[in-house]
Amino acid sequence: MITMQEFLEGLYITILGVTVVFAVLTILAIAMYGIGYLERCLLEKEKPKEAPVVEVKEEAKAEEKPKIEPKKLAVITAAILAYIAEKNAQLRPVPFRKKPSDAWRLYGIQTQMEEVEDFNYELGKW
């Protein structure tokens, strides 16, 4: 029968083990947080200084983009849509393939059954 002293000794060992495990986990969490902090600091140092922003006049922006007349834009859009519609009309459904045979699965089951049958159940023989 277990005495009270043995019970308390087991309880102390359990408490000590749980404390050690959580202490190690805390140390690992702190170490990982520190490594992340150092990495962020190093990446911030490596960032190059941003180049000064050059202001572009709005007149220059308007000149850069060529304007397309609405009629030409409509003709180009219609041509693209007609091409896509013709291309989609040429698509045909893919025929279904038959399911592969179950030969490999059945062979695997058979092999496992043979291994179980050949297993030597005598103690120390495996």
Side-chain angles (χ1 to χ4, degrees):
M1 198 166 190
I2 298 176
T3 64
M4 190 61 146
Q5 184 179 4
E6 291 173 348
F7 178 75
L8 289 176
E9 185 178 344
L11 185 64
Y12 291 146
I13 291 173
T14 303
I15 292 172
L16 179 65
V18 170
T19 306
V20 168
V21 166
F22 280 106
V24 170
L25 288 175
T26 304
I27 291 169
L28 285 174
I30 292 170
M32 291 177 69
Y33 179 77
I35 290 171
Y37 177 77
L38 289 175
E39 188 174 340
R40 281 191 302 270
C41 289
L42 291 175
L43 288 177
E44 288 177 3
K45 286 181 181 178
E46 291 179 3
K47 286 184 181 177
K49 294 181 181 178
E50 294 182 13
V53 179
V54 179
E55 294 183 21
V56 179
K57 296 179 183 178
E58 291 187 28
E59 295 174 3
K61 287 183 181 178
E63 292 175 5
E64 291 177 7
K65 295 182 182 179
K67 291 185 177 181
I68 299 176
E69 296 176 13
K71 288 183 180 181
K72 288 183 181 179
L73 182 62
V75 170
I76 292 171
T77 305
I80 292 172
L81 291 175
Y83 173 76
I84 292 173
E86 182 181 330
K87 189 175 181 181
N88 287 340
Q90 294 174 356
L91 296 178
R92 61 184 187 281
V94 178
F96 289 102
R97 298 173 86 184
K98 289 185 178 180
K99 180 182 173 187
S101 68
D102 290 334
W104 286 106
R105 184 181 61 84
L106 295 174
Y107 179 74
I109 292 172
Q110 180 184 1
T111 305
Q112 289 175 356
M113 288 172 47
E114 288 174 358
E115 288 176 0
V116 170
E117 289 174 359
D118 294 339
F119 187 75
N120 191 348
Y121 287 103
E122 294 180 26
L123 188 62
K125 295 290 184 181
W126 56 82

